[in-house]
Amino acid sequence: MGIAFENQVAAPQLPSRPAYGDNQTGTHLPERAGSLNGVIVPEQPGKNAIEVRGVRKVFGTGENQVAALDTVSVSIRENEFFTLLGPSGCGKTTLLRLIAGFDFPTAGEILLHGQDIAPLPPFKRPVNTVFQSYALFPHMTVAQNIGFGLEMLGKPKAEIEARVAQMLKLVKMEALKARRTSQISGGQQQRVALARALAPQPKVLLLDEPLSALDYKLRKEMQIELKRLQHETGITFIFVTHDQEEALTMSDRIAVMSAGKILQVGTPRDIYDRPAERFVADFIGETNFLPGTVVSKHAGVATVKFASNATIAAGYPEGFDPTGEVTLVVRPEHADLVPDPVKGTIAGTLANIVYFGTDTHYHVKLDGGGENFIVRHQNSRSSPVTYATGAKVGIQFEEDAARVLKD
Amino acid sequence: MAEPRAMDIKDQPGFRSIAVICLLVLYVPVLILMIFSLNSGSLVTHWEGVTLGWYGSAFRNEEFHAAAKNTLIISVTATIVSTICATLAAIGMTRVKPWRGIAAAFMVINLPLMVPEIITAVATLSFFALIAGTLGLNFGIGNLILAHTVFCIPFAYMPIRARLEDMDLTLEYAAADLYATPWNAFRRITLPLLVPGIMSGAALAFIVSFDDFTITQLVAGPGQTTLPLYIWNQIRRPMTPEINAISTILLMVSILFVSVSFLIARRRAK
């Protein structure tokens, strides 16, 4: 918490947003159509910063062909903190590399403010990347690293110096500007990598799991830092991660990916509360899966019967028609324990109690068998009931707690 | 404490004595050669006293000067040309999409390392004789430079390629991402980071060229005596410690180059 506070205090001293993107200084990539040192300048700033249209990427040939991306379409809005979330090998980094220009799509278009950039080499795209390994140039100082992009754009020396000074201030690295990148810590390298990618004021900033090499505390600090930078610069951030918690806390919108496909795009709340598929529910947060049978449906709400004959109302995603045997998903915090097994919708025996400090997880072995059902309880000074392992308990569900999902 | 140490080769019986014998066999002759360069007598086998006189006479010896000059012209030129070729070859072998015949190209580059040197020497001699006979071309000392350049390439190639393979490719992606054209990315990122590899490659090429005997002996024409050839000619006459002095000078030059190459590689690797 102290970290967050520190950042809030420091914020007012930083350059305000208009100063950063001030066109009068001439430092912004010009808005007019044309090119700057061969780097394209999009004509009409539209609503979408990036539009990925039917992009396929196939690696290998013949029998060894692997579709890393299987016809993916997604729109990323201006000034958005957009996250590509998925397990390793889901295609999220491939998509990022296609946007950066390190690879070219097998099929499909990638539009930047309406202009197809898919065939352009990386040095002609007004898009910059923060690499997972940071990829700082080891033979240059911190300041030289930050100024490299501007130098390659052919900016005048005075302008480069001014912008580098501005960026050093933005990431709080003024004191270390003359250091070699090998002489600074991992967290500091991360800041330099960010400053270097932000210095040319890209239309879109791509971040490839940039926090994965940091320890827990530093990662939390940088999460807040990234949000602040995105807010202050007004640049669209496309963030790749496999860490669902990171995605939920930082993103404006998230695209959940699996096996080369985008399964769902939505706000963190959408994704968490209304997952579109079982994979999404399973990947994001903890989830309980319960078998049941659909007995009736009305206006997007199904009535599902458990083996115990108890029934529950469960919503389901649009365009999905649940029938017969289905799986219900319930978040552990949307269920509650009751001491009397008869009062619960389902009942079981308390198999395990796991204490997490802020909350406690109760693992319930259901009477009908199957996986243990987990109930999460937020701990407070006045937790009314205490339970003991081996006790018979009932489980109650909050309203809207259960959803029926595609397997 | 209870760490099993039986597998440590240093603790095997006889390890120390074998190591000591190997080191003695390797370095005692060199040491004796160096010591006798200080012998005030005129025999290389009978010690009489200490003098630096043989170094003086070596430095005054005009044949030695001529040989040293030839050696430097050949080695420096061959080093520069072979290092450039090796650098280009290494980039062509590591920074491109795999192409048909890349394995064959690797073989061709490294062939001089595998072919017995005497074979290369005879082949080179025949080749130049053929050119001289049919086309009437003789490049003079250029023949030696050409021959040296060719066999130096694999020695220069190895450390440069190793350096390129160790280099983080992401750095080149980062440069391209920051608007560097391929040429700028090479000039500003790849080349500066490759310098230690190029330096070690050049140092190795220089040493290999500097003390080459077999190929030089066969290819060298009149007036193209290099230092190794000069020493060879001298020891066929009654030997004086002057030859020890000359050999010691050569040894020092070699040690200097190898050390510089090693130090550069180690400093940059950090």
Side-chain angles (χ1 to χ4, degrees):
Chain A
M1 287 314 276
I3 297 152
F5 183 62
E6 201 181 288
N7 274 309
Q8 277 158 12
V9 171
Q13 303 163 356
L14 291 157
S16 61
R17 198 160 154 179
Y20 178 87
D22 194 353
N23 274 332
Q24 284 164 338
T25 62
T27 54
H28 200 290
L29 284 173
E31 295 291 342
R32 65 177 189 280
S35 78
L36 180 70
N37 241 25
V39 178
I40 64 136
V41 176
E43 285 168 26
Q44 293 261 300
K47 224 177 100 208
N48 287 329
I50 291 279
E51 255 185 88
V52 176
R53 285 187 187 166
V55 165
R56 255 177 81 74
K57 177 66 187 175
V58 178
F59 289 110
T61 50
E63 284 179 15
N64 301 323
Q65 273 198 358
V66 179
L69 283 176
D70 191 1
T71 324
V72 163
S73 296
V74 64
S75 297
I76 297 157
R77 296 174 196 143
E78 262 184 57
N79 301 349
E80 189 171 39
F81 197 116
F82 192 89
T83 298
L84 298 171
L85 173 67
S88 55
C90 72
K92 56 192 192 298
T93 297
T94 303
L95 183 54
L96 201 77
R97 288 173 62 84
L98 293 180
I99 298 172
F102 305 140
D103 258 322
F104 300 100
T106 312
E109 290 181 310
I110 297 170
L111 306 185
L112 176 73
H113 292 304
Q115 193 170 339
D116 188 11
I117 57 164
L120 293 179
F123 57 90
K124 289 191 175 162
R125 301 181 186 206
V127 168
N128 291 136
T129 308
V130 177
F131 294 88
Q132 187 170 10
S133 61
Y134 313 145
L136 297 177
F137 305 132
H139 58 303
M140 297 184 188
T141 63
V142 165
Q144 284 168 340
N145 263 281
I146 297 173
F148 187 82
L150 298 162
E151 204 185 317
M152 291 296 113
L153 283 170
K155 300 278 189 185
K157 213 169 170 217
E159 191 187 316
I160 296 175
E161 275 170 24
R163 172 57 56 78
V164 168
Q166 206 179 9
M167 296 315 301
L168 283 166
K169 199 173 170 194
L170 189 71
V171 296
K172 300 170 198 153
M173 288 287 292
E174 294 107 312
L176 302 174
K177 64 179 177 186
R179 291 272 188 95
R180 289 280 169 137
T181 55
S182 53
Q183 296 167 324
I184 57 177
S185 73
Q188 290 163 340
Q189 288 181 14
Q190 166 76 85
R191 285 161 191 272
V192 175
L194 264 167
R196 185 179 70 175
L198 285 169
Q201 288 186 314
K203 293 290 171 192
V204 176
L205 185 75
L206 308 175
L207 303 107
D208 186 7
E209 309 221 15
L211 308 181
S212 59
L214 304 178
D215 61 45
Y216 180 80
K217 207 179 151 194
L218 209 50
R219 194 158 70 233
K220 291 283 158 206
E221 195 181 321
M222 283 309 296
Q223 285 178 4
I224 295 161
E225 189 82 2
L226 273 178
K227 280 298 276 182
R228 176 179 71 83
L229 287 171
Q230 198 258 331
H231 182 75
E232 277 175 24
T233 57
I235 290 173
T236 307
F237 277 31
I238 304 180
F239 186 86
V240 159
T241 184
H242 63 268
D243 182 336
Q244 43 106 1
E245 190 192 317
E246 201 165 87
L248 290 176
T249 52
M250 298 176 74
S251 318
D252 292 322
R253 286 194 307 150
I254 298 171
V256 183
M257 296 183 70
S258 172
K261 288 191 157 126
I262 292 181
L263 303 182
Q264 187 175 8
V265 180
T267 62
R269 188 166 278 274
D270 272 345
I271 302 268
Y272 187 82
D273 284 346
R274 286 179 293 283
E277 309 191 18
R278 184 177 166 151
F279 178 89
V280 177
D282 201 12
F283 190 73
I284 315 249
E286 271 183 284
T287 308
N288 293 299
F289 296 101
L290 289 169
T293 315
V294 176
V295 288
S296 69
K297 276 174 291 192
H298 177 69
V301 179
T303 304
V304 180
K305 194 174 72 172
F306 293 113
S308 62
N309 275 332
T311 59
I312 187 168
Y316 51 88
E318 226 174 289
F320 172 53
D321 186 28
T323 45
E325 300 283 319
V326 292
T327 304
L328 286 172
V329 301
V330 181
R331 296 287 184 193
E333 68 275 21
H334 295 158
D336 213 346
L337 289 185
V338 284
D340 183 358
V342 185
K343 290 215 172 127
T345 310
I346 50 175
T349 315
L350 205 48
N352 209 354
I353 299 173
V354 187
Y355 179 72
F356 280 95
T358 53
D359 46 37
T360 305
H361 290 193
Y362 298 93
H363 296 232
V364 181
K365 188 169 164 41
L366 298 177
D367 288 346
E371 283 177 60
N372 279 359
F373 190 98
I374 299 170
V375 173
R376 176 153 64 217
H377 234 253
Q378 184 144 18
N379 294 330
S380 73
R381 292 274 172 229
S382 56
S383 287
V385 196
T386 49
Y387 295 93
T389 315
K392 281 288 205 184
V393 290
I395 297 169
Q396 281 184 339
F397 299 103
E398 289 175 12
E399 210 173 315
D400 284 342
R403 279 176 74 77
V404 186
L405 291 187
K406 260 190 290 196
D407 279 329
Chain B
M1 207 34 221
E3 198 72 18
R5 301 185 60 194
M7 289 309 290
D8 192 338
I9 195 163
K10 287 203 288 292
D11 296 330
Q12 296 293 329
F15 174 79
R16 267 157 217 278
S17 32
I18 291 172
V20 168
I21 290 168
C22 287
L23 288 172
L24 288 180
V25 170
L26 275 173
Y27 291 109
V28 166
V30 178
L31 213 62
I32 292 173
L33 174 103
M34 290 169 77
I35 291 168
F36 271 90
S37 73
L38 301 170
N39 188 6
S40 62
S42 60
L43 289 174
V44 292
T45 45
H46 181 72
W47 181 260
E48 286 179 30
V50 176
T51 178
L52 282 172
W54 295 114
Y55 283 91
S57 86
F59 282 120
R60 284 190 304 273
N61 181 341
E62 296 208 347
E63 282 181 56
F64 172 60
H65 288 178
K69 191 178 149 206
N70 279 339
T71 301
L72 281 180
I73 290 172
I74 296 164
S75 302
V76 170
T77 319
T79 299
I80 293 171
V81 178
S82 64
T83 306
I84 292 172
C85 292
T87 306
L88 294 176
I91 291 165
M93 300 287 284
T94 56
R95 287 300 186 273
V96 291
K97 281 188 186 159
W99 39 283
R100 265 175 78 90
I102 195 162
F106 184 79
M107 282 289 291
V108 168
I109 292 168
N110 291 298
L111 212 54
L113 292 177
M114 289 171 264
V115 175
E117 199 182 346
I118 187 68
I119 308 289
T120 311
V122 172
T124 312
L125 174 66
S126 322
F127 175 73
F128 285 128
L130 189 71
I131 289 188
T134 56
L135 304 173
L137 283 175
N138 187 348
F139 305 113
I141 205 166
N143 282 355
L144 275 177
I145 292 174
L146 209 59
H148 278 226
T149 302
V150 171
F151 72 72
C152 283
I153 287 175
F155 290 95
Y157 174 79
M158 284 301 176
I160 298 173
R161 183 191 164 100
R163 179 83 189 171
L164 270 172
E165 281 180 340
D166 282 353
M167 209 184 286
D168 183 4
L169 263 182
T170 321
L171 292 177
E172 286 162 41
Y173 282 130
D177 188 64
L178 293 162
Y179 313 111
T181 56
W183 166 244
N184 275 335
F186 175 74
R187 193 173 59 87
R188 296 293 307 278
I189 307 300
T190 315
L191 192 59
L193 294 174
L194 194 54
V195 164
I198 293 176
M199 296 295 279
S200 346
L204 230 97
F206 182 80
I207 289 304
V208 169
S209 164
F210 185 76
D211 80 0
D212 179 73
F213 178 76
T214 315
I215 293 173
T216 314
Q217 166 77 336
L218 266 69
V219 175
Q224 296 172 6
T225 305
T226 62
L227 283 174
L229 294 193
Y230 175 73
I231 293 171
W232 167 249
N233 290 332
Q234 291 306 301
I235 59 175
R236 291 193 301 179
R237 300 172 198 168
M239 261 169 82
T240 64
E242 186 183 336
I243 215 71
N244 295 41
I246 291 173
S247 303
T248 307
I249 295 167
L250 254 68
L251 184 65
M252 289 304 160
V253 172
S254 291
I255 289 174
L256 185 76
F257 266 87
V258 172
S259 313
V260 165
S261 147
F262 175 76
L263 285 176
I264 289 174
R266 205 182 56 162
R267 193 167 61 92
R268 293 297 189 107
K270 276 183 194 167

